[in-house]
Amino acid sequence: MGYVSSNTKPLLSRKATNEGHAENCPYFDGWKAYDKDPFHPSQNPDGVIQMGLAEHQLCFDLVQEWLVSNPEASICTKKGVDKFRDIALFQDYHGLPAFRNAVAKFMGRVRGDKVKFDPDRIVMSGGATGAHEMITFCLADPGDAFLVPTPYYAGFDRDLCWRTEARLLPVVCHSSNNFKVTRKALEEAYAKAVEANISVKGLLLTNPSNPLGTILDRDTLREAMSFINEKNIHLICDEIYAATVFRQPDFISIAEIIEEDQEYNRNLVHIIYSLSKDMGFPGFRVGIVYSYNDAVVECGRRMSSFGLVSSQTQYLIASMLSDDQFIGKFLLESAERLETRHKNFTDGLHQVGIKCLNGNAGLFLWMDLRELLMESTVEAETALWRGIINEFKLNVSPGSSFHCSEPGWFRVCIANMNEETMKVALARIREFVRRNGDKLNRKEKCRQSDLRLRLSFRRMDDVLRSPCIMSPHSPIPQSPLVRTRT
Amino acid sequence: MEPASVRKHSLLSMIARNGGHGEHSPYFDGWKAYDRNPFHPTQNPDGVIQMGLAENQLSFDLIEEWIKNNPTASICTPDGVGKFKDVAIFQDYHGLPEFRQAIAKFMGRVRRGKATFDPDRIVMSGGATGASETLIFCLADRGDAFLVPSPYYPAFDRDLRWRTGVRLIPFACDSTNNFQVTLAQMESAYAKAIEANINVKGVILTNPSNPLGINLSKETLTSLLSFTFEKNLHMVCDEIYSATVFKSPAFTSIAEVMQETECNPDLVHIIYSLSKDMGLPGFRVGIIYSYNDQVVNCARKMSSFGLISSQSQHLLASMLSDEVFIEKFLEENSRRLGKRHSRVVEGLKQEGINCLEGNAGLFLWMDLRHLLKEPTPDAEMELWRVIIKDVKLNVSPGSSFHCPEPGFFRVCFANMDDHTVEVALQRIREFVSKGNKNGDDKKHWRKRDLRLSFTSRKCDESLISPRQIMSPHSPVPQSPLVRART
């Protein structure tokens, strides 16, 4: 409980003192291990390799080349500084028209120009984080719920629930059908909510999926659309990984589905977008809410005052994204590099008998280590995970941090490092598998390392709570996050 | 309270449906008039002059010169592009360490070294708008209240209340003592609130004051701080105009007073921003500075919803840590504001119009009580409409700041060049002399009333209550805000 004042009234709010930020969780062991001992190819070759951060670092050379060739895109170059004043003063929450036009066009390009986006429906927010919170504030009252298929991005618990006081209800998906989101699962989750007298306001889909790295097929999207129309609830589609699709099948946006049937209620559909993953610019905090509902656009725009995109950044992005030639080249090259990186990793894992979910998008793999678990429990998964961090120095993310119902899955980020680091990571994984031997031996070894782990992490176990989220930001006060670029 | 059936079937949240954004207000007449017909010295010399926007446009030449001489401050110049990747991927909610250090140092400089600031207490937010909201989320629950002296910045109604559900309890300051905030007034307001069983969590002071353009004296701050200490209330000081002080008395920050008065640091918090002091509202640089560790911690986690673009952090870290430049900027900026203030005050005085004796801010508090038909809010609104329609100056009526005494208007003077100032003064001259020519001012207004009351009937229909806010952002869909730089 928070501070209690002398007259017994709490000093701070409930939100300030509850666990809604979802950061108190043992998974920070991974972050702490990394922060204390970050890998560097020459300075610290035995350090922990960061594989828990879904960042796209593969195409900065293209962006840098473009910047040098386009000095007018910046308000700080000699060519651009005469725009400095107008841009520095611009705080209109509609956003720079050029920015909205460029983002709308880019979103269309990413979807193969199969759909068009209206610049007047583009609403800014503080990253996808701010976008999710904002759309929730627009759609839900405290206590209202959103259905969300598992496994899902850990940050949703904070983004959609903390200050809004909304709730998330899982729609459990299983590996038996590759974690497909079925109508049956949706109906079950909905019925359960109704029985518990919980008001369901909508369904949240992430497409392409984090952490699975797969896309939703047309049938699934149509089923989801039909489901929400039938129940008259909202559909929020987080499409922030749309441009990370590197292989067939092609990405299908909800924007396409919505055009298929005039009977669909467009007022129920909203897209969350961002440039953090597709372009690799998480620092620029470019979040977008795109709603087909006029009232939501209006309300969202007013709320965007709490987290507008810096006009300096709007200006740069407007210029960059409206360069058709550059964007065409970037999107192609990005997909190729992601595909190569993905193939290198999956091949490398396959060589040592580790399978991954068959994915074609995202900045990560969904790795299957179920066979290495002593038993099919979260505790066993956590123990295995600690082994991976401490012995093999790889900070991967355990499936339970994504609310995966089946223990043994791990998300492995692969696009936030260079080739050299990738090779080191693969070598360590090979070593990990070698040491863990065959299945029986594996179980024996885990038990042994488990004991050792239990002893060394007794203190951590003291703070073990129910499966929690892992913050995408470093929680460590003096985070060396800036320095540790590998 | 809405019937349960309405709430159940409503697609949007209660927050989205209530008027908490505060934009359904008759004061948009002024904005609309300006947007439809913006003044331009050559292209539209008869247009409406924008005097409702508190922007600091007087010192951009200094900043632009600095930018030209410091290409490494940008990640887009050839000199700076080597940092692009590191900055573009930096999303750590602690902020760039050099940014925090530079802000802390700058805040100390603005307070002439009378207080120093710890970089580890600097928390980012989406402008002062985001800072205010986030701080309230940390300190108060739905239904709790903060005392605030009126007149106050209209958007506090949105920023502090809309999504937080917190209440504001204004207590009136008036012209009998030059709108000074007194302890007696605060005590009385507090007692009344307690009697009404309202849970008061703290007080919000804006120092220097918007809209008054004056500082709080050290004595006043001390007595108010002691009062909050005694009652265990939070003291929130919005100091976003601290570097706009252009004349004595020198600015006294709560940070200074804390050192000399018994208080509980856990109750003291400062809101800061670069929007007014540096004239950079587009960059959305909001800062929460709290002396309460738990608030720092919580606010930092919440800052994920509105972080400052790393691109802008990088630029400002460089700019604000250039001590020679900052010294020169602060001095010159003050001088220019003082000069502009004097000119406008003098020009008004020549027409028999007095202003509150101000020494800070980007505006004057103009006294037009003698021009009111009668001392009522309606009469003030009528006069205001005349000023917009006939004099073509978009000033802000006191009632939009919750000023209980009709007849005062806030006039912004720092968002235009010298020529425009002269045009504005000339218009006032003509307006006043016309009034004098027609003999009895009151008779003159009455004639105009009839004409106005017919044409402005449509506006009156949108009048909800006199206590509405005016959005700092243009509400008009295709806002020419970008173009309207005069």
Side-chain angles (χ1 to χ4, degrees):
Chain A
M1 192 53 197
Y3 295 153
V4 174
S5 61
S6 58
N7 57 3
T8 74
K9 271 192 310 184
L11 208 56
L12 304 188
S13 67
R14 282 190 285 269
K15 289 182 176 86
T17 50
N18 67 21
E19 300 296 314
H21 53 75
E23 280 189 32
N24 277 347
C25 117
Y27 303 112
F28 285 131
D29 296 353
W31 285 93
K32 284 172 193 156
Y34 171 75
D35 279 335
K36 277 195 204 110
D37 182 23
F39 172 84
H40 187 278
S42 47
Q43 291 168 28
N44 190 19
D46 294 325
V48 176
I49 297 178
Q50 176 61 282
M51 303 190 87
L53 204 46
E55 280 178 356
H56 183 359
Q57 293 191 23
L58 304 186
C59 294
F60 275 106
D61 57 318
L62 303 175
V63 175
Q64 277 165 218
E65 190 193 320
W66 185 89
L67 286 168
V68 170
S69 312
N70 291 272
E72 69 289 345
S74 162
I75 51 175
C76 295
T77 56
K78 288 197 178 86
K79 279 227 164 123
V81 75
D82 59 330
K83 295 261 166 39
F84 184 90
R85 189 185 137 120
D86 275 353
I87 298 301
L89 287 171
F90 187 83
Q91 58 172 329
D92 182 345
Y93 61 31
H94 292 84
L96 285 171
F99 172 76
R100 278 187 289 117
N101 289 338
V103 172
K105 194 159 70 155
F106 180 73
M107 286 174 72
R109 284 298 290 279
V110 166
R111 289 151 184 77
D113 287 317
K114 285 181 266 183
V115 280
K116 273 183 103 79
F117 290 87
D118 177 358
D120 289 338
R121 292 193 176 283
I122 300 279
V123 176
M124 297 182 286
S125 59
T129 303
H132 276 291
E133 187 193 50
M134 193 235 276
I135 192 80
T136 306
F137 266 125
C138 288
L139 304 181
D141 295 319
D144 287 345
F146 286 87
L147 302 178
V148 54
T150 65
Y152 64 84
Y153 166 57
F156 283 161
D157 292 311
R158 171 197 60 193
D159 300 349
L160 282 110
C161 304
W162 189 14
R163 306 193 307 183
T164 61
E165 298 177 69
R167 315 162 59 147
L168 291 183
L169 300 175
V171 176
V172 184
C173 302
H174 303 280
S175 62
S176 51
N177 64 349
N178 292 322
F179 298 94
K180 190 175 158 88
V181 184
T182 63
R183 183 67 179 252
K184 181 165 179 277
L186 291 173
E187 295 284 0
E188 267 170 23
Y190 185 84
K192 211 167 153 191
V194 168
E195 204 182 306
N197 213 23
I198 298 171
S199 173
V200 177
K201 281 318 278 282
L203 167 65
L204 169 62
L205 296 178
T206 307
N207 178 33
S209 162
N210 173 15
L212 301 175
T214 54
I215 59 170
L216 294 176
D217 59 42
R218 198 172 288 273
D219 282 339
T220 302
L221 285 165
R222 282 174 178 160
E223 281 287 4
M225 196 56 140
S226 137
F227 171 76
I228 59 122
N229 270 270
E230 188 193 294
K231 307 283 189 260
N232 199 35
I233 61 176
H234 292 279
L235 178 59
I236 303 172
C237 283
D238 179 334
E239 298 190 348
I240 69 173
Y241 290 97
T244 66
V245 176
F246 50 79
R247 204 170 54 209
Q248 296 279 333
D250 281 340
F251 175 63
I252 304 168
S253 166
I254 199 69
E256 256 183 86
I257 304 297
I258 209 178
E259 303 300 342
E260 285 182 350
D261 189 341
Q262 294 305 308
E263 294 298 308
Y264 289 144
N265 182 356
R266 299 167 82 92
N267 283 325
L268 297 174
V269 183
H270 324 275
I271 297 175
I272 301 291
Y273 192 56
S274 158
L275 298 183
S276 301
K277 309 298 177 183
D278 284 355
M279 295 296 295
F281 301 155
F284 292 173
R285 315 314 301 149
V286 183
I288 302 290
V289 173
Y290 188 93
S291 175
Y292 291 89
N293 182 318
D294 292 348
V296 172
V297 170
E298 200 176 289
C299 180
R301 189 165 280 139
R302 289 175 175 139
M303 285 188 182
S304 68
S305 295
F306 297 112
L308 294 170
V309 176
S310 168
S311 54
Q312 176 187 21
T313 300
Q314 287 185 52
Y315 190 75
L316 171 67
I317 296 299
S319 193
M320 196 185 293
L321 298 192
S322 51
D323 183 338
D324 284 337
Q325 217 181 15
F326 167 70
I327 290 301
K329 174 178 163 190
F330 179 93
L331 291 176
L332 222 66
E333 192 62 33
S334 169
E336 270 177 36
R337 293 180 189 187
L338 283 170
E339 179 170 23
T340 304
R341 179 57 62 89
H342 186 269
K343 186 166 192 305
N344 285 337
F345 257 103
T346 46
D347 282 354
L349 292 175
H350 190 70
Q351 276 163 19
V352 292
I354 294 181
K355 294 192 295 272
C356 295
L357 186 69
N358 190 16
N360 69 324
L363 308 171
F364 31 71
L365 308 166
W366 189 235
M367 183 170 69
D368 183 357
L369 297 184
R370 286 176 294 169
E371 285 181 2
L372 298 188
L373 289 190
M374 222 168 62
E375 52 193 18
S376 182
T377 61
V378 172
E379 288 72 26
E381 178 187 277
T382 306
L384 178 59
W385 173 64
R386 288 203 173 115
I388 296 172
I389 293 176
N390 291 296
E391 286 182 55
F392 300 97
K393 309 276 191 73
L394 300 170
N395 182 30
V396 297
S397 311
S400 47
S401 65
F402 298 91
H403 300 275
C404 184
S405 59
E406 286 171 53
W409 294 89
F410 290 78
R411 189 191 75 170
V412 182
C413 295
I414 58 172
N416 62 319
M417 60 189 70
N418 61 19
E419 292 233 3
E420 199 184 337
T421 309
M422 180 191 74
K423 289 184 180 139
V424 175
L426 282 171
R428 290 185 188 180
I429 291 171
R430 273 195 290 275
E431 181 60 22
F432 163 72
V433 173
R434 189 190 69 77
R435 276 205 224 162
N436 282 280
D438 61 25
K439 193 168 177 180
L440 277 171
N441 278 349
R442 280 171 194 161
K443 284 194 172 162
E444 181 56 35
K445 284 195 168 139
C446 280
R447 218 172 284 128
Q448 283 172 14
S449 66
D450 212 28
L451 283 170
R452 209 173 62 223
L453 280 169
R454 275 206 204 105
L455 282 169
S456 57
F457 287 94
R458 196 191 303 147
R459 206 171 130 257
M460 294 306 159
D461 287 342
D462 285 343
V463 304
L464 185 70
R465 294 197 185 97
S466 65
C468 293
I469 71 127
M470 188 159 85
S471 167
H473 306 288
S474 169
I476 313 298
Q478 265 84 48
S479 170
L481 211 66
V482 184
R483 300 193 300 272
T484 54
R485 295 286 145 238
T486 53
Chain B
M1 181 72 186
E2 291 173 332
S5 54
V6 172
R7 177 170 131 43
K8 190 176 179 203
H9 294 299
S10 176
L11 272 189
L12 303 192
S13 65
M14 283 187 295
I15 285 174
R17 296 195 309 274
N18 69 25
H21 50 76
E23 287 187 26
H24 294 313
S25 147
Y27 303 114
F28 286 131
D29 295 352
W31 285 93
K32 284 172 195 156
Y34 171 75
D35 279 335
R36 276 192 213 116
N37 184 20
F39 171 83
H40 187 279
T42 49
Q43 291 168 27
N44 190 18
D46 294 324
V48 176
I49 297 179
Q50 176 62 281
M51 303 190 88
L53 204 46
E55 280 178 356
N56 181 0
Q57 293 190 25
L58 303 188
S59 302
F60 273 110
D61 56 321
L62 303 176
I63 295 180
E64 281 157 18
E65 192 194 327
W66 185 90
I67 288 188
K68 284 184 193 140
N69 295 333
N70 290 272
T72 52
S74 162
I75 51 175
C76 299
T77 55
D79 287 311
V81 78
K83 293 246 170 59
F84 185 88
K85 179 175 144 149
D86 277 352
V87 174
I89 54 182
F90 187 82
Q91 58 171 331
D92 182 345
Y93 60 30
H94 292 83
L96 285 171
E98 55 269 29
F99 172 75
R100 278 186 288 115
Q101 277 148 25
I103 293 278
K105 197 157 67 161
F106 180 72
M107 286 173 72
R109 288 300 290 279
V110 167
R111 288 150 186 76
R112 302 169 329 280
K114 298 273 179 76
T116 52
F117 293 86
D118 177 358
D120 290 338
R121 291 192 177 284
I122 301 281
V123 176
M124 298 182 285
S125 59
T129 302
S132 307
E133 189 196 47
T134 294
L135 191 53
I136 298 300
F137 266 126
C138 291
L139 303 181
D141 295 318
R142 209 162 268 285
D144 288 344
F146 279 81
L147 302 176
V148 56
S150 65
Y152 65 84
Y153 168 56
F156 275 165
D157 289 328
R158 172 197 62 191
D159 300 350
L160 305 174
R161 298 184 325 173
W162 188 19
R163 304 191 308 182
T164 62
V166 164
R167 306 163 62 156
L168 287 183
I169 298 177
F171 61 94
C173 301
D174 59 59
S175 58
T176 52
N177 70 340
N178 290 322
F179 294 93
Q180 300 285 326
V181 182
T182 67
L183 177 60
Q185 283 161 338
M186 186 174 285
E187 280 172 331
S188 164
Y190 177 76
K192 270 201 202 110
I194 295 300
E195 209 180 297
N197 217 21
I198 296 170
N199 191 25
V200 179
K201 286 309 287 278
V203 321
I204 316 266
L205 298 179
T206 306
N207 177 33
S209 159
N210 174 14
L212 302 173
I214 55 177
N215 293 350
L216 288 170
S217 71
K218 195 178 206 172
E219 293 68 37
T220 303
L221 271 172
T222 303
S223 67
L224 298 179
L225 182 61
S226 296
F227 174 75
T228 55
F229 174 53
E230 186 200 323
K231 303 291 181 209
N232 207 40
L233 301 173
H234 289 285
M235 165 65 85
V236 176
C237 285
D238 179 337
E239 299 191 346
I240 69 173
Y241 289 98
S242 45
T244 67
V245 175
F246 49 79
K247 203 163 73 181
S248 68
F251 175 64
T252 305
S253 165
I254 197 73
E256 210 184 312
V257 170
M258 277 174 84
Q259 293 166 47
E260 299 166 10
T261 310
E262 196 194 2
C263 68
N264 177 0
D266 279 345
L267 295 173
V268 185
H269 324 275
I270 296 173
I271 291 181
Y272 192 57
S273 159
L274 298 183
S275 300
K276 311 297 178 182
D277 285 354
M278 296 292 293
L280 308 171
F283 294 176
R284 315 311 301 146
V285 181
I287 301 291
I288 296 169
Y289 189 93
S290 176
Y291 292 89
N292 179 319
D293 291 348
Q294 201 175 6
V295 171
V296 169
N297 216 307
C298 175
R300 186 166 283 138
K301 291 174 169 112
M302 288 186 179
S303 68
S304 294
F305 298 114
L307 294 170
I308 298 168
S309 168
S310 53
Q311 178 186 20
S312 301
Q313 287 186 52
H314 186 259
L315 171 67
L316 295 165
S318 194
M319 196 186 295
L320 299 188
S321 50
D322 183 338
E323 294 187 15
V324 171
F325 167 70
I326 289 302
E327 178 79 41
K328 173 178 165 191
F329 178 91
L330 291 176
E331 205 179 298
E332 184 60 19
N333 183 50
S334 263
R335 194 192 65 80
R336 294 179 187 186
L337 284 170
K339 185 170 172 217
R340 175 60 63 83
H341 177 267
S342 294
R343 176 67 198 111
V344 181
V345 165
E346 185 200 327
L348 291 173
K349 202 166 185 154
Q350 279 165 8
E351 307 310 316
I353 295 173
N354 291 321
C355 297
L356 182 68
E357 173 93 41
N359 71 319
L362 309 172
F363 31 70
L364 308 161
W365 191 236
M366 181 172 70
D367 182 355
L368 296 186
R369 284 176 295 173
H370 59 291
L371 296 184
L372 291 187
K373 212 174 62 182
E374 54 194 17
T376 63
D378 285 347
E380 179 186 278
M381 288 293 281
E382 282 176 24
L383 175 57
W384 174 63
R385 289 199 173 111
V386 167
I387 297 172
I388 294 176
K389 288 181 163 47
D390 295 351
V391 193
K392 306 255 192 77
L393 300 175
N394 182 30
V395 297
S396 310
S399 47
S400 65
F401 298 88
H402 302 276
C403 183
E405 249 179 286
F408 287 91
F409 291 78
R410 188 190 77 169
V411 181
C412 296
F413 58 69
N415 62 319
M416 59 190 71
D417 59 25
D418 289 335
H419 169 78
T420 310
V421 171
E422 296 307 321
V423 173
L425 288 173
Q426 176 61 21
R427 289 183 186 181
I428 290 171
R429 204 169 294 133
E430 283 165 12
F431 171 66
V432 171
S433 76
K434 250 193 238 160
N436 289 340
K437 261 197 222 138
N438 288 331
D440 187 349
D441 286 344
K442 292 186 177 172
K443 259 201 224 136
H444 181 61
W445 300 142
R446 233 170 270 133
K447 270 200 223 148
R448 286 168 173 268
D449 279 347
L450 287 170
R451 203 175 68 220
L452 272 173
S453 60
F454 182 80
T455 54
S456 57
R457 197 189 300 151
K458 186 157 161 272
C459 302
D460 288 338
E461 277 164 2
S462 66
L463 185 67
I464 295 169
S465 90
R467 306 241 172 276
Q468 295 288 351
I469 70 129
M470 186 158 86
S471 166
H473 306 289
S474 169
V476 177
Q478 265 84 45
S479 171
L481 211 65
V482 183
R483 302 193 297 274
R485 294 283 147 244
T486 52

